[in-house]
Each structure stands twice: as structure tokens, then as C-alpha cells.
């Protein structure tokens, strides 16, 4: 993931454009940036448009109000064109240039769209700081048609939805699949995909990459050392002791921009201890959700890991710097999502062989088994409700969600998508093989949370609180109290729309 330095300085780089010619080729080529993405699913994790109260953000930063577009392109709905796309209408895209690169768009999805609509001009753009580049356009209600909202400087998705800037995708998910006969788009997806991108019951976001999270390591290193991936907390700390004795940093993450990797594993441990409702209560801003005993216990365990096994110099490093140390066998365990292998492809030595293991069980009485994992649809894509061609934007997502579109994405990124069966016939990498095996072992015992994309203020605070916990003494009481306070503040703030699951 690409993140913003913690000192707040931002380097703005131009976002080049590429025009797809009528035969589907690109007028010029793009060199993917060396910077890498955030998930994440998150982020997962969301850094918003501005660090201002939501009411001011909505009015000043993402447009809204009564400025409804009157010149949106629309064509006739047919069997071949179920979304009613204007076949000649231009389509403008913005793709985040990070760990996934942009070749999946330029080499797979744009050509697929152009094949269906050869007279349409497709303007492709890439950017590393989505809010920096696109905020002025949403403010003036002149957005691009489809946006991959990712990275550290991504836009506050909840605020965009609240401001009426995001297209309802109900029609897309009800449309027939592009290349899987007899099924709607929704029918082809991993269960929970539509819900993961829904806000108060309406689907506004396509979370396209299906990401599994865990503790990543070098299979080669483990075999050379005779180490076995841990299943219990006692196994985990015993192995960390061995790694430390061997002169290695046993456990690490980058404090400058990757604290959400770490708070994710803290909350994974909390869910294993107390069950998935621990995370649901946090999402729903339930009273005392953060100070609940499973969260406090998880924070205590991970705080102790920070004190005993982490390198405090990593507080000031970025994710790629720490990940490079792991590629050099200096770091043993690194928490991340399944984009990691592709993100480090240029720096990973031959035979390193990425592998991943679930977060170990915390206690013998955990409510979820050791094999349970955090896994969810992530990497947000949305259509601008006030763009010139929202139907084209939805159609572009339909091409992404075709079996061929998903297969091409996985081939180029080493990351799964939410399209079921899209890896059939592919030769997949060691890291992807390991993450698929972990997902299969989990069965139905996988879970996720959504508060980080709903409430920017909480995400910001949790990153800071996590760094304090892991690098500065491991005070679990302070961590949970700090997070409960910000959750209570969000709950009481009438300017912030509340979401439920």
C-alpha cells in the first residue's frame, strides 16, 4: 500500500492520462510507480479527504447539494447492453498506482471495455494520492466516471456516500454476468462481497480484491532454520525467542504508515478470543465495544510482543523499507494482506517463497479456532453519481467482474478477486498458494470489520494508538480507553452519518 509520511508532508506528482484507441490499444505506455498501495482493505483503512469535521468536509470538499447532473450519457438497454451504456460516450477512469500497479487496467479491463464499445474513447488516469488529485473535481461536481479509491491519501468513502457523490450499484449486481451464462453478476461473487461495499443496506462500492490477512514469512528461511509456523501463543513467543537469539528482528511493521496492519492483527486476536461479534459491536458503535475484555486482552498480548521483540527504529520507517528487511532475512514475521507478494516482487530474491500463517490462538478457550482469519473483499472501486457516464462506469465494473477480467487481474497482481472460480487453470505463486490454503483451512471461520472505512476519525486515532501501544510501552488500558473515547465522540457527533451492520 502506498501511504503518506507521518510528518504530513505531501509530494504531489502528476497523474498522466492515456487514451485508448479504437482498437483497444493504448496511445502511450505507463511505468507503474515504485510506491505501493494500501488494502486494504483495507485498507481496508481509510485516510479521508481532509482532517476536518465531517460537516465541513461534506460541504467544502466533496460537493453535494442539489447540483444534479443533467447531461449524463445513456443508451438503449438490450440483452447485449443490459446497463444501457451509450456506445459512443467517453469514459474516464482513475486507478490507484500502488502495490497492484495499473497493468491490470491498461492490459485487461480497458481492452475488454473497448472490445464491447469500440467507438468509445477511454481516458485512463493513474494517481498515487487520490484525494489530492480528485478532491477539487468532486468539490466542483466534475468527477471522473469510475475511481479506484485506495492508498494512504484516498478519499473518505463514507463522506462521499453521505454527500450523494457515489452511484448506487444495485443495477450492476442484478445485471447478467459478462461471460458466465445464466448468472447475474452478484451470483458469481464470493458471499458477502455486496454487503462489504454497502452503506445502510445499499451497495455503493465494489470491493474487488479478496484479501486474506495473517503473519507473513519466508518459507525458505523457516526450512533452513527448522522452524514450524506457530499455532498457539506459546508456540508463537517461543519461535520469536529463537528468532531473536539468531540475531533477527522477530516481529516488525512500519510505524510511519502501516499501523493499520498491526491494529488489524490486534482485532483479529480479539475476535478469536471473544467471537466475531466483538468486531460487529465496534462497527456499530456499541457502548463499551473497545473496552470489552477480549479487546483489552488482545491489546495486552500484542503490546508485550512490541516491548520484547520489535525494533523501535521501525517506528520511523515506511512499509516498503521494513518489507525489504524481511526480503533480506532480517525480519521474521510481518503482518500484512495478500498483496504483499506482488508489492515486493522487484525486491524479493529467488527462492524466498512467501508464506502466511493465521494469527495464533490466544488462549485455550478462544471462541474461534486457530485457523480462523481476517479475510474480506477490499480495494474499493466506485462510480461517480455525478460523472458524465455513470452507466459506462458500472459497465466497466461488469467487465472487471467477468471471469476473464478477474483471471487477468490475478495473473498480473498475484491477488485473488471476489469472482468465484477465477483462478481455475492458473499457475499461481507461492504466496498466493499459501494464502489460498489458509483460506480453505478457515472454511466459514473468517471475519472482517468496516468501521475503518466508515469513520476516518477512528481510523486515524487507531493508527496513532497502535504505534503508541507497540513502540512505547504496551499499555493496553490506555489503548482501549483512547479508542473508546474516539468511538464515543463519533457516535455523539450529529454531523457524521452512522452506518450499521
Amino acid at each position: 500500500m502506498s501511504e503518506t509520511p507521518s510528518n504530513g508532508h505531501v509530494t504531489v506528482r502528476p497523474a498522466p492520462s492515456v487514451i485508448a484507441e479504437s482498437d483497444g490499444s493504448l496511445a502511450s505506455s505507463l511505468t507503474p510507480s515504485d510506491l505501493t498501495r494500501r488494502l486494504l482493505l483495507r485498507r481496508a483503512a481509510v485516510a479521508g479527504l481532509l482532517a476536518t469535521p465531517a460537516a465541513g468536509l461534506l460541504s467544502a470538499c466533496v460537493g453535494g447539494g442539489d447540483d444534479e447532473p443533467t447531461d449524463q450519457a445513456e443508451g438503449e438497454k438490450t440483452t447485449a447492453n443490459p446497463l444501457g451504456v451509450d456506445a459512443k460516450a467517453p469514459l474516464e477512469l482513475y486507478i490507484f498506482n500502488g502495490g497492484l500497479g495499473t497493468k491490470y487496467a491498461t492490459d485487461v479491463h480497458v481492452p475488454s471495455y473497448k472490445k464491447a464499445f469500440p467507438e468509445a474513447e477511454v481516458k485512463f488516469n493513474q494517481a498515487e494520492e487520490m484525494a489530492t488529485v480528485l478532491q477539487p473535481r468532486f468539490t466542483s461536481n466534475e468527477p471522473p466516471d469510475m475511481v479506484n479509491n485506495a492508498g494512504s491519501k484516498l478519499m473518505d468513502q463514507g463522506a462521499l456516500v453521505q454527500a450523494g457523490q457515489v452511484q448506487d450499484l444495485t443495477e450492476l449486481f442484478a445485471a447478467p454476468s459478462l461471460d458466465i451464462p445464466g448468472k447475474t453478476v452478484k451470483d458469481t461473487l464470493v458471499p458477502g462481497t455486496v454487503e462489504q461495499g454497502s452503506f445502510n443496506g445499499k451497495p455503493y462500492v465494489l470491493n474487488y480484491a479478496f484479501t486474506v490477512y495473517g503473519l507473513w514469512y519466508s518459507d525458505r528461511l523457516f526450512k533452513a532454520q527448522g522452524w514450524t509456523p506457530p499455532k498457539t501463543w506459546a508456540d508463537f513467543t517461543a519461535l520469536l525467542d529463537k528468532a531473536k537469539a539468531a540475531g533477527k528482528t522477530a516481529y516488525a511493521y512500519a510505524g510511519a504508515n502501516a499501523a493499520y496492519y498491526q491494529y488489524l492483527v490486534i482485532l483479529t486476536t480479539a475476535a478469536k478470543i471473544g467471537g466475531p461479534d466483538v468486531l460487529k459491536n465496534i462497527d456499530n458503535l456499541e457502548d463499551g465495544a473497545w473496552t470489552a475484555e477480549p479487546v483489552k486482552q488482545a491489546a495486552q498480548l500484542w503490546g508485550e510482543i512490541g516491548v520484547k521483540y520489535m525494533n523501535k527504529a521501525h517506528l520511523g520507517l515506511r512499509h516498503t523499507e521494513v518489507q525489504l528487511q524481511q526480503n533480506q532475512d532480517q525480519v521474521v514475521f510481518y503482518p500484512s494482506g495478500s498483496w504483499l507478494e506482488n508489492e515486493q516482487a522487484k525486491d524479493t530474491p529467488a527462492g524466498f517463497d512467501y508464506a502466511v500463517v493465521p494469527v495464533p490462538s490466544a488462549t485455550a478457550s478462544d471462541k474461534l479456532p486457530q485457523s480462523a482469519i481476517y479475510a474480506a473483499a477490499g480495494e474499493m472501486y466506485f462510480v461517480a453519481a455525478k460523472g458524465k457516464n455513470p452507466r459506462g462506469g458500472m459497465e466497466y465494473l461488469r467487465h472487471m467482474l467477468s471471469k476473464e477480467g478477474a483471471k487477468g487481474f490475478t495473473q498480473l497482481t498475484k491477488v485473488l478477486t471476489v469472482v468465484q472460480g477465477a483462478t481455475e487453470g492458473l499457475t499461481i505463486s507461492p504466496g498466493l498458494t499459501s494464502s489460498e490454503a489458509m483460506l480453505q483451512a478457515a472454511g466459514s471461520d473468517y471475519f472482517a470489520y468496516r468501521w475503518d472505512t466508515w469513520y476516518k476519525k477512528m481510523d486515524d486515532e487507531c493508527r496513532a494508538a497502535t504505534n503508541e501501544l507497540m513502540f512505547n510501552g504496551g499499555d493496553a488500558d490506555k489503548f482501549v480507553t483512547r479508542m473508546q473515547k474516539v468511538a464515543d465522540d463519533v457516535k455523539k457527533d450529529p454531523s457524521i452519518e452512522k452506518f450499521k451492520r
Side-chain angles (χ1 to χ4, degrees):
M1 287 229 150
S2 179
E3 293 287 352
T4 301
S6 59
N7 62 12
H9 295 298
V10 175
T11 300
V12 180
R13 298 172 177 84
S17 297
V18 176
I19 305 299
E21 304 295 352
S22 60
D23 63 357
S25 64
L26 298 177
S28 63
S29 61
L30 294 172
T31 302
S33 165
D34 288 335
L35 293 181
T36 48
R37 83 176 179 93
R38 182 247 160 269
L39 293 22
L40 334 65
L41 272 54
R42 167 54 191 155
R43 137 187 335 39
V46 173
L49 290 169
L50 289 177
T52 56
L57 182 150
L58 290 171
S59 62
C61 301
V62 295
D66 298 323
D67 299 326
E68 297 299 327
T70 58
D71 58 346
Q72 291 183 329
E74 191 168 350
E76 181 183 357
K77 291 184 179 180
T78 65
T79 301
N81 184 13
L83 294 174
V85 178
D86 181 340
K88 297 182 180 180
L91 179 70
E92 186 179 8
L93 315 170
Y94 257 92
I95 301 293
F96 172 62
N97 184 14
L100 298 176
T102 60
K103 283 180 67 65
Y104 70 87
T106 60
D107 292 12
V108 179
H109 301 147
V110 169
S112 179
Y113 186 91
K114 286 291 298 180
K115 183 178 179 180
F117 303 100
E119 295 182 78
E121 175 189 77
V122 178
K123 184 178 182 182
F124 171 86
N125 307 277
Q126 61 175 358
E128 293 157 5
E129 297 176 347
M130 304 307 288
T132 303
V133 175
L134 294 181
Q135 176 186 315
R137 295 189 57 181
F138 278 92
T139 300
S140 59
N141 287 327
E142 295 181 348
D145 300 303
M146 198 287 296
V147 175
N148 169 205
N149 191 25
S152 174
K153 293 287 289 184
L154 81 172
M155 294 175 286
D156 185 331
Q157 195 68 51
L160 286 166
V161 170
Q162 187 175 347
Q165 291 282 3
V166 186
Q167 178 75 24
D168 183 338
L169 298 181
T170 299
E171 198 171 350
L172 163 68
F173 293 122
S177 166
L178 189 71
D179 59 2
I180 304 177
K183 292 190 175 183
T184 66
V185 170
K186 183 178 180 180
D187 291 339
T188 69
L189 306 181
V190 172
T193 298
V194 175
E195 291 74 16
Q196 190 71 16
S198 294
F199 293 72
N200 288 340
K202 286 189 177 182
Y204 288 102
V205 175
L206 167 63
N207 289 282
Y208 184 61
F210 191 81
T211 306
V212 298
Y213 296 83
L215 305 182
W216 291 79
Y217 63 95
S218 166
D219 187 56
R220 178 183 66 183
L221 175 64
F222 269 52
K223 287 177 179 175
Q225 296 288 340
W227 294 340
T228 301
K231 292 186 176 181
T232 68
W233 205 261
D235 292 340
F236 183 42
T237 55
L239 182 51
L240 294 181
D241 285 334
K242 291 178 183 178
K244 186 176 180 181
K248 301 181 184 300
T249 300
Y251 185 87
Y253 76 92
N257 67 342
Y260 66 91
Y261 297 177
Q262 181 56 35
Y263 76 56
L264 187 147
V265 296
I266 293 170
L267 291 180
T268 295
T269 296
K272 287 191 172 187
I273 293 170
D277 278 354
V278 169
L279 305 184
K280 184 177 180 181
N281 292 339
I282 291 174
D283 282 348
N284 290 341
L285 302 176
E286 299 289 349
D287 292 342
W290 281 97
T291 53
E293 188 59 30
V295 183
K296 183 178 177 180
Q297 189 173 351
Q300 182 65 41
L301 287 170
W302 281 105
E304 291 169 359
I305 297 297
V307 168
K308 190 171 182 180
Y309 302 107
M310 287 178 56
N311 183 347
K312 289 194 175 184
H314 289 162
L315 176 61
L317 296 187
R318 293 173 57 80
H319 64 305
T320 49
E321 294 173 307
V322 178
Q323 289 164 193
L324 178 60
Q325 290 184 19
Q326 186 180 41
N327 294 148
Q328 297 167 343
D329 286 343
Q330 298 173 35
V331 166
V332 176
F333 281 116
Y334 183 80
S336 189
S338 48
W339 66 78
L340 176 64
E341 184 179 35
N342 187 66
E343 188 166 68
Q344 290 301 108
K346 290 189 291 185
D347 294 315
T348 305
F352 179 88
D353 288 353
Y354 270 110
V356 62
V357 64
V359 172
S361 295
T363 72
S365 57
D366 284 0
K367 290 189 177 180
L368 291 178
Q370 177 271 337
S371 57
I373 58 174
Y374 186 108
E379 194 72 14
M380 297 185 291
Y381 297 77
F382 74 90
V383 175
K386 299 181 181 181
K388 294 184 181 299
N389 191 7
R391 294 198 167 274
M394 287 194 290
E395 178 69 14
Y396 183 85
L397 296 183
R398 192 167 78 105
H399 284 253
M400 288 178 62
L401 291 169
S402 67
K403 195 167 186 178
E404 285 303 307
K407 183 179 292 187
F409 176 90
T410 297
Q411 285 176 314
L412 289 171
T413 66
K414 302 181 180 67
V415 172
L416 297 171
T417 71
V418 295
V419 180
Q420 299 181 72
T423 60
E424 292 173 2
L426 291 182
T427 300
I428 57 178
S429 62
L432 183 53
T433 300
S434 181
S435 60
E436 277 205 295
M438 189 171 73
L439 182 61
Q440 287 185 343
S444 61
D445 290 319
Y446 65 89
F447 48 83
Y449 51 73
R450 295 162 69 185
W451 60 269
D452 59 327
T453 61
W454 287 348
Y455 309 115
K456 174 190 181 295
K457 185 176 180 180
M458 286 173 63
D459 176 54
D460 287 346
E461 188 73 3
C462 199
R463 293 181 186 223
T466 297
N467 277 347
E468 183 180 40
L469 173 73
M470 298 300 294
F471 288 103
N472 295 318
D475 191 328
D477 284 327
K478 188 173 183 181
F479 174 83
V480 298
T481 300
R482 183 174 178 177
M483 287 310 302
Q484 189 60 58
K485 181 181 184 305
V486 71
D488 291 343
D489 289 346
V490 168
K491 185 174 183 177
K492 295 172 184 175
D493 189 339
S495 70
I496 300 176
E497 184 174 359
K498 310 307 185 296
F499 303 107
K500 284 275 190 181
R501 74 173 176 100

